[in-house]
Amino acid sequence: MDIGDGLLPATSAKAAGNFKLAETLYKRVLAVTPNDPRALHYLGVLYAQTGRLLEAERLITQSLQTDTNNAEALLNRGVIRLNLRKLNEGISDLEKSVKLNNDLTLAWLKLGEAYVQRGLLPKAEKCFSLALMQEPNNAYALEARAEIHFKAGNKIALAEDLRQATNEKHNELVTRFISRLIDANDLETASIILEKCAEEFKKTPDYYWLYSVLNFKKERYLGCVKSIRELMKQRQPDAIVLSTLGVALNRIGRHRESEHAFSLAMSITPNDPDIAYNRAFNLRSEEHTSELQSRQYLVCRLLLEK
């Protein structure tokens, strides 16, 4: 029996999602040649994918006794061992794997993860960088490296990570990290990074939202209003955007425009007490005197008292 002929139907069955048939076909090969390294390896991978990790580890270990320099087998056993919480053994397998074949992006990613668990952040950073050399568009590697730079306070490196992320169209990643900087009140770094990412990121509504939040936090309310107006050219604003616009307009004395923004916000989320409070404050600050405006103010107050 030709072993290659036996493996092809098994791998085809596995690719089609028929794991039971694939297992039967791999075992048929192993019944003829019990130490065939490919069949052992592939069956081990199949077991790993179906949660049978200890059996998977045993089979791939057996395959490596014959095919000792199989980088992919070492990668797969390393991942299995990490999942079994055998951190040291997993790292050892992954280090051997990348020495044998440094083009295995997944091996660099998993080794980087393992180094992070061990607290070896410089080594982890190098792994994620090597993965990105092979796959510049790899969102996981970009985020993992940016996380290391964020926690280390390496603002220059973080800015470069996020600039690369915008070039690769991973704008949601940029939004998350800049939002975290704003939440931490590191407005200067957030502003610098936002400008570094502006060339590509400026084409998205998230850029203008982040810019409006920065302007608001810096009490540059006119700048906040302008940023939100730009955002509204690109997408429909939600209640948070409209409420922020309402507050900013109130702060620069444009109360009627502020009332309109709050009205739109409350049409989206009519029971939001924060929006109701800000709207009531705006109505009061303008010192409305008409009966209709007085009723609006009372409705806002009643909503707050619910």
Side-chain angles (χ1 to χ4, degrees):
M1 175 182 177
D2 183 75
I3 298 302
D5 291 341
L7 286 177
L8 183 58
T11 54
S12 298
K14 179 174 174 291
N18 193 339
F19 286 4
K20 189 167 287 188
L21 175 60
E23 181 180 358
T24 299
L25 294 171
Y26 284 133
K27 285 181 174 178
R28 190 175 296 170
V29 173
L30 290 169
V32 178
T33 52
N35 293 317
D36 179 76
R38 292 171 301 166
L40 289 165
H41 178 198
Y42 297 158
L43 181 58
V45 171
L46 186 149
Y47 281 171
Q49 291 176 329
T50 54
R52 298 153 71 176
L53 297 182
L54 289 172
E55 291 175 86
E57 182 187 22
R58 177 182 61 78
L59 286 167
I60 297 177
T61 298
Q62 188 177 342
S63 81
L64 284 164
Q65 289 171 357
T66 304
D67 189 7
T68 55
N69 291 325
N70 188 319
E72 290 190 5
L74 284 163
L75 160 60
N76 288 321
R77 189 177 67 174
V79 172
I80 290 165
R81 285 176 163 176
L82 292 180
N83 289 330
L84 288 169
R85 300 189 179 183
K86 298 179 178 181
L87 186 58
N88 290 335
E89 293 98 320
I91 287 174
S92 177
D93 279 345
L94 293 167
E95 287 176 338
K96 290 174 185 174
S97 177
V98 295
K99 282 181 182 178
L100 289 165
N101 183 354
N102 63 8
D103 291 330
L104 292 173
T105 304
L106 182 60
W108 287 117
L109 292 175
K110 291 298 181 180
L111 185 55
E113 279 182 21
Y115 283 150
V116 168
Q117 289 183 55
R118 285 278 300 272
L120 302 171
L121 299 187
K123 283 189 171 185
E125 178 189 11
K126 183 179 179 182
C127 289
F128 295 130
S129 295
L130 287 166
L132 285 165
M133 286 176 65
Q134 296 169 22
E135 294 182 16
N137 192 37
N138 191 300
Y140 179 82
L142 278 167
E143 183 167 8
R145 190 175 68 178
E147 185 67 33
I148 291 171
H149 292 150
F150 181 89
K151 289 181 176 177
N154 190 338
K155 299 173 183 180
I156 295 173
L158 177 61
E160 181 55 30
D161 289 335
L162 299 184
R163 187 199 59 75
Q164 183 176 347
T166 59
N167 290 343
E168 300 297 340
K169 311 303 181 188
H170 295 304
N171 295 319
E172 72 291 342
L173 191 157
V174 181
T175 301
R176 283 202 303 275
F177 276 97
I178 294 179
S179 295
R180 287 170 65 183
L181 288 166
I182 292 171
D183 290 343
N185 216 33
D186 190 352
L187 305 185
E188 182 182 355
T189 303
S191 298
I192 291 169
I193 291 177
L194 195 56
E195 283 307 306
K196 283 187 176 292
C197 297
E199 185 176 351
E200 288 296 323
F201 198 35
K202 205 169 186 177
K203 300 170 186 175
T204 70
D206 282 349
Y207 171 86
Y208 292 103
W209 171 241
L210 291 169
Y211 218 96
S212 68
V213 173
L214 278 170
N215 279 321
F216 191 93
K217 289 247 186 181
K218 294 176 180 179
E219 300 183 2
R220 298 172 181 170
Y221 300 114
L222 182 58
C224 175
V225 170
K226 289 179 178 178
S227 297
I228 291 178
R229 297 291 191 206
E230 289 296 324
L231 180 155
M232 292 169 69
K233 292 176 184 178
Q234 298 192 33
R235 70 167 170 86
Q236 283 290 106
D238 58 23
I240 294 173
V241 171
L242 289 165
S243 180
T244 304
L245 176 61
V247 174
L249 286 164
N250 173 272
R251 300 286 170 85
I252 58 177
R254 290 158 63 173
H255 301 293
R256 293 188 183 279
E257 293 174 76
S258 176
E259 163 60 16
H260 180 63
F262 287 129
S263 296
L264 291 172
M266 291 191 72
S267 71
I268 299 171
T269 53
N271 297 318
D272 189 307
D274 291 330
I275 296 174
Y277 174 83
N278 286 323
R279 187 183 183 192
F281 182 84
N282 180 65
L283 289 165
R284 182 179 173 187
S285 63
E286 193 185 359
E287 298 181 354
H288 289 303
T289 56
S290 75
E291 183 181 353
L292 174 61
Q293 290 160 345
S294 297
R295 283 205 305 270
Q296 288 176 321
Y297 176 71
L298 284 172
V299 167
C300 292
R301 291 306 306 163
L302 287 170
L303 180 58
L304 288 168
E305 290 166 8
K306 281 185 178 181

